[in-house]
């Protein structure tokens, strides 16, 4: 095996421009040509890796990491430059695409064994892959019945057993339960130490430092940093902002008073049942919620400050969102629950102030009741909705997230559509990105129900958001979103997520949001869940 | 195609076939029920008119339906195969030919089951088998090549032209009536009959009927079929290779 040599790689795509009027549509119809522009996904990327080297690709979504991995894997032909590598390549990019939900675990293991070119008899290899994945006892179960984390074990284990000389991995190291992730990382390190080259894309600077000696950061397809991983800019461990979180909770009594004074009725929703929580969360996390025994270290690791206070509220949080969503679905209009929006919570753990993922729970409850068929989450919190995106991998929910390009959460899971907005973007850039993203997402997914997470943390004075959007900008955002949803006759459940500026300002922004939503849906009964 | 490529092709064909069987209540029985139902309708409608001049019209019709169905199903299935497998194509280094050929092969498995059922029926009816039936092996292999080549071309074009699905549906409907599936060529005017004889589908169906009736297929028909199959395969493979990068970007 030789090393990997990448010389001056570039990749351009033709992107179809939107047709703005009937005349251009007619011209396109009769000429057979679409107006297009060139989009440079990669430009002048070069590097060399010797056997046994590991390279982490960093950068915001859309920076070119996946395109570069696809060029290295031979999936995408570069527009210019060359890739030189003499050895077996294995890629784990969108690895779920190989799996067939309607076939058994055994059939899927066989498919993985063949696609990752394991030498020998496919049937025997399938057995070995199932054993390594710890799924032997589920051999005859349909793959669709497994959780997303369990499913991904099959391609991962097949890839690790492939004997490849070059591993190309796209954010796959971010998913799965902690134990499985640790095992994969350990095995990858062993393979790396034996001479395999490792190239992986990640948003997690800590992971980059732990796994790779070198980091290559991309932005808009160009290399902005290449060097030792321990000198990667902006890799300090994130601070857990417990004080801001507690401050954010202070806004609710003020919001209640404001809503009451404006003619809204506050109604306490029934808490969710354990069964409803289990539609999304694992029994082990439910047990932890009940025990309410997170250690101080766990609070730090999971960014769950004041967990003694928040964990017992999980059932009420989920119940409120379920009730508001039911009301919206039944009326074909709007439901509001200000306390909802736990978009960082994963099935097996809470994260980032979110003990449970109430939107995902409500989506599954309503799906089970037959009230919705194609629900979606439009997440306009300043932080990426990683937990919801992960849960949505199992199907039944589509997610959109428009958030600050870097910062929390460092370990992200790809949504159906992610819009990375640069820090400090301000009103104009923020609104343009949100409007375009939401329009494209609704056009693509065509949901029959939307959970709208309209947080106030994009506000310019918010200490954790960092997007520098004015109160007026947020009002325009909400008017656009609910105006669009109402025009498309899509029922919506509004949840308000986090807000960390002064309680008075947060209340004003939250109130504006509820007002904008209520104005867009005249049938709204003005009942707000608490 | 390298050994690994062949294994991936067979694995995908197996998946496609299993998915098609598992997604229906009656599973693989549909494989036999579909031609049987089509046979019942056509036989009921045309036996009095066409059955007079055509001995054993039932067998004549069954062979026509079984052979036609393969081409129609295989090409329709292949047409959307690249788009259907786009997530796989965009995440694994997989040659574009593989998903297309896998979808044709999965239909071919069903076709072989139909042929086996037909052979069993004929052996009971005719009191045994005949050596001329072996002609079906080269015939069907050439036919598989024709369907695969057409499928490769259609799948590649469909990535760029989404109207093709509708157009191909219309062409297949026309093709059904322009191929002697349920009528003998003898009922047509001689000049029309000569024209239809150039069609590879006519060559397959007429040759299969001769082989199953105990005769060797005509050399002209066989040559016509093999030439069409080779041309279709060459065109399909060349198109996918020539457009490989553009297809990758479009997916």
């Amino acid at each position: 095996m030789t090393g990997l040599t990448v010389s001056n790689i570039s990749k351009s795509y033709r992107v179809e421009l939107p047709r703005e009027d009937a005349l251009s549509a007619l011209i396109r119809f009769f000429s057979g040509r679409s107006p297009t522009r060139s989009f440079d996904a990669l430009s002048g990327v070069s590097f060399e890796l010797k056997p046994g080297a590991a390279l982490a690709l960093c950068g915001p979504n859309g920076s070119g990491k996946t395109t570069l991995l696809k060029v290295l894997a031979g999936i995408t032909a570069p527009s210019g430059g060359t890739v030189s590598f003499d050895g077996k390549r294995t890629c784990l990019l969108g690895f779920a695409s190989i799996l067939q939900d309607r076939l058994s675990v055994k059939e899927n293991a066989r498919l993985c064994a063949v696609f990752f070119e394991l030498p020998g008899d496919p049937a025997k290899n399938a057995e070995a892959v199932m054993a390594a994945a710890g799924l032997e006892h589920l051999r005859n179960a349909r793959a669709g019945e497994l959780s997303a984390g369990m499913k991904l074990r099959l391609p991962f284990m097949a890839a690790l057993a492939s004997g490849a000389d070059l591993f190309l991995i796209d954010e796959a190291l971010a998913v799965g339960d902690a134990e499985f992730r640790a095992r994969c990382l350990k095995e990858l390190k062993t393979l790396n130490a034996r001479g395999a080259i490792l190239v992986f894309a990640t948003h997690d600077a800590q992971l980059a430092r732990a796994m790779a000696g070198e980091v290559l950061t991309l932005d808009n397809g160009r290399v902005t940093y290449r060097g030792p991983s321990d000198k990667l800019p902006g890799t300090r461990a994130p601070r857990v902002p417990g004080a801001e979180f507690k401050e954010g909770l202070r806004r609710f009594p003020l919001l209640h008073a404001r809503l009451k004074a404006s003619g809204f009725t506050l109604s306490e929703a029934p808490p969710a049942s354990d069964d409803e929580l289990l539609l999304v969360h694992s029994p082990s996390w439910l047990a932890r919620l009940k025990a309410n025994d997170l250690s101080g270290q766990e609070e730090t690791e999971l960014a769950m400050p004041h967990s003694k206070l928040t964990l017992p509220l999980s059932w009420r949080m989920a119940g409120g969102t379920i009730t508001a969503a039911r009301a919206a679905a039944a009326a074909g209009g709007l439901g509001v629950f200000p306390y909802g929006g736990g978009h960082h919570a994963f099935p097996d753990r809470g994260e980032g102030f979110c003990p449970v993922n109430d939107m995902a729970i409500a989506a599954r409850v309503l799906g089970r009741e037959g009230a919705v068929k194609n629900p979606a989450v439009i997440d306009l919190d300043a932080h990426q909705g990683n937990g919801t995106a992960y849960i949505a991998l199992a199907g039944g929910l589509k997610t959109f997230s428009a958030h600050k390009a870097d910062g929390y959460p460092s370990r992200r899971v790809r949504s159906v559509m992610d819009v990375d907005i640069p820090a400090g973007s301000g009103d104009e850039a923020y609104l343009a990105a949100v409007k375009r993203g939401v329009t494209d997402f609704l056009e693509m997914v065509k949901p029959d129900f939307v959970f709208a997470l309209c947080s106030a943390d994009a506000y310019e004075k918010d200490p954790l958001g960092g997007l520098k959007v004015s109160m007026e900008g947020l009002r325009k955002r909400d008017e656009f979103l609910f105006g669009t949803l109402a025009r498309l006759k899509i029922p919506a459940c509004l949840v308000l997520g986090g807000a960390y500026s002064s309680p008075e300002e947060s209340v004003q922004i939250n109130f504006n949001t509820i007002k904008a939503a209520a104005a867009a849906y005249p049938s709204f009964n003005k009942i707000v869940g608490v | 195609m390298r050994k690994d490529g062949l294994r991936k092709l067979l694995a995908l064909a197996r998946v496609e076939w299993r998915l098609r069987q598992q997604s229906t209540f009656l599973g693989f029985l549909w494989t036999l029920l579909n031609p049987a139902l089509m046979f019942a309708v056509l036989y009921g409608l045309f036996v009095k008119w066409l059955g007079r001049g055509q001995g054993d019209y039932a067998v004549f019709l069954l062979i026509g339906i079984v052979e036609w169905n393969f081409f129609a199903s295989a090409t329709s299935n292949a047409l959307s195969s690249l788009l259907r497998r786009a997530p796989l194509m965009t995440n694994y280094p997989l040659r574009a030919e593989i998903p297309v050929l896998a979808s044709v092969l999965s239909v071919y498995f069903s076709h072989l089951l139909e042929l086996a059922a037909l052979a069993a029926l004929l052996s009971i009816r005719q009191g045994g088998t005949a050596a001329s039936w072996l002609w079906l092996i080269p015939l069907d292999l050439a036919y598989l090549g024709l369907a695969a080549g057409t499928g490769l071309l259609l799948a590649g074009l469909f990535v760029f032209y989404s109207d093709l699905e509708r157009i191909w549906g219309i062409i297949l409907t026309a093709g059904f009536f322009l191929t002697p599936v349920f009528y003998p060529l003898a009922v047509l005017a001689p000049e029309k009959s000569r024209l239809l004889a150039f069609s590879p589908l006519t060559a397959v169906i007429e040759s299969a009927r001769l082989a199953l009736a105990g005769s060797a297929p005509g050399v002209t028909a066989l040559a016509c079929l093999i030439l069409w199959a080779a041309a279709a395969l060459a065109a399909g493979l060349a198109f996918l290779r020539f457009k490989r990068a553009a297809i990758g970007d479009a997916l």
Side-chain angles (χ1 to χ4, degrees), chain A residues 96-142:
Chain A
S97 62
I98 202 172
L99 301 171
Q100 304 293 325
D101 278 355
R102 286 189 290 153
L103 294 185
S104 67
V105 168
K106 188 179 168 188
E107 281 289 339
N108 275 289
R110 185 187 171 108
L111 199 58
C112 290
V114 171
F115 268 80
F116 287 103
E117 300 179 2
L118 270 60
D121 177 27
K124 283 184 184 164
N125 287 332
E127 292 295 331
V129 168
M130 278 190 294
L135 296 175
E136 284 168 303
H137 61 296
L138 294 169
R139 63 175 60 240
N140 295 319
R142 285 191 175 198

Side-chain angles (χ1 to χ4, degrees), chain A residues 224 321 325 327 340 378 529:
Chain A
T224 55
T321 305
I378 292 184

Side-chain angles (χ1 to χ4, degrees), chain A residues 2-344:
Chain A
T2 60
L4 169 69
T5 307
V6 176
S7 306
N8 204 23
I9 286 291
S10 63
K11 178 66 189 173
S12 300
Y13 292 100
R14 300 299 304 175
V15 182
E16 193 173 336
L17 294 172
R19 291 179 288 281
E20 290 170 354
D21 52 47
L23 182 63
S24 61
L26 273 175
I27 290 169
R28 183 227 182 292
F29 180 78
F30 286 112
S31 69
R33 289 180 184 170
S34 299
T36 59
R37 66 176 169 82
S38 178
F39 165 68
D40 294 328
L42 285 176
S43 188
V45 177
S46 299
F47 60 87
E48 275 184 47
L49 294 174
K50 291 180 179 161
L55 175 71
L57 302 176
C58 295
N61 287 345
S63 60
K65 302 187 298 292
T66 303
T67 306
L68 178 56
L69 286 170
K70 286 184 177 180
V71 169
L72 299 181
I75 295 167
T76 301
S79 306
T82 55
V83 176
S84 166
F85 179 72
D86 180 22
K88 185 175 176 181
R89 307 172 204 210
T90 277
C91 56
L92 280 160
L93 323 172
F95 44 87
S97 62
I98 202 172
L99 301 171
Q100 304 293 325
D101 278 355
R102 286 189 290 153
L103 294 185
S104 67
V105 168
K106 188 179 168 188
E107 281 289 339
N108 275 289
R110 185 187 171 108
L111 199 58
C112 290
V114 171
F115 268 80
F116 287 103
E117 300 179 2
L118 270 60
D121 177 27
K124 283 184 184 164
N125 287 332
E127 292 295 331
V129 168
M130 278 190 294
L135 296 175
E136 284 168 303
H137 61 296
L138 294 169
R139 63 175 60 240
N140 295 319
R142 285 191 175 198
E145 293 165 10
L146 304 186
S147 70
M150 287 169 96
K151 267 194 285 188
L152 72 86
R153 292 181 193 177
L154 292 172
F156 222 117
M157 284 302 148
L160 291 179
S162 65
D165 307 304
L166 170 61
F167 287 86
L168 303 160
I169 306 174
D170 186 14
E171 296 180 36
L173 300 173
V175 292
D177 59 54
E179 188 187 341
F180 178 72
R181 200 162 54 232
R183 188 173 144 207
C184 287
L185 294 179
K186 189 179 166 193
E187 291 198 26
L188 276 171
K189 271 190 169 177
T190 307
L191 290 167
N192 189 216
R194 286 183 193 155
I197 297 174
L198 179 62
V199 182
F200 63 99
T202 182
H203 287 285
D204 186 344
Q206 287 178 338
L207 181 71
R209 277 186 303 194
M211 291 291 294
E214 205 179 343
V215 169
L216 188 141
T217 304
L218 291 167
D219 193 12
N220 289 319
R222 292 175 183 277
V223 177
T224 55
Y225 171 81
R226 189 188 159 201
S229 56
D230 54 2
K231 292 185 180 164
L232 175 67
T235 55
R236 66 190 168 82
R239 184 177 61 87
V240 178
E244 289 89 342
F245 172 62
K246 204 158 187 181
E247 181 76 355
L249 296 177
R250 281 184 51 216
R251 76 191 138 117
F252 286 112
L254 300 175
L255 180 63
H256 292 176
R258 182 78 184 269
L259 287 168
K260 272 187 193 170
S262 303
F264 288 89
T265 306
L266 304 184
S267 170
E268 189 170 326
S273 65
D274 286 357
D275 285 346
E276 286 170 334
L277 261 58
L278 286 170
L279 288 173
V280 166
H281 294 285
S282 63
S284 61
W285 180 243
L286 182 64
R288 295 301 303 274
L289 288 173
K290 286 184 172 175
N292 194 9
D293 61 352
L294 287 191
S295 65
Q297 190 185 344
E298 283 176 313
E299 283 193 332
T300 306
E301 283 172 3
L302 298 174
M304 289 286 296
H306 312 292
S307 66
K308 294 278 183 292
L309 175 72
T310 54
L311 262 52
L313 297 173
S314 301
W315 289 262
R316 284 189 62 189
M317 183 179 173
T321 305
I322 292 169
T323 302
R326 269 193 191 127
L334 178 71
V336 180
F337 180 62
Y339 290 91
H343 63 156
H344 297 310

Side-chain angles (χ1 to χ4, degrees), chain B residues 127-162:
Chain B
T129 58
S132 65
W133 289 17
L134 292 173
W135 278 105
L136 283 180
I137 297 170
L139 256 179
D140 244 45
L141 284 175
Y143 197 23
L144 176 63
L146 176 75
T150 312
L152 288 167
L153 202 56
L154 288 171
L157 287 168
F158 188 52
V159 172
F160 305 105
Y161 306 106
S162 50

Side-chain angles (χ1 to χ4, degrees), chain A residues 70 100 102 107 117 120, chain B residues 7-8 14 23 85 90:
Chain A
K70 286 184 177 180
Q100 304 293 325
R102 286 189 290 153
E107 281 289 339
E117 300 179 2
Chain B
R7 283 172 71 168
K8 286 175 193 172
R14 180 186 159 110
S23 60
R85 292 281 171 206
T90 51

Side-chain angles (χ1 to χ4, degrees), chain A residues 381-392:
Chain A
D381 192 278
H383 307 98
Q384 202 250 355
N386 55 344
T388 322
Y390 178 81
I391 293 161

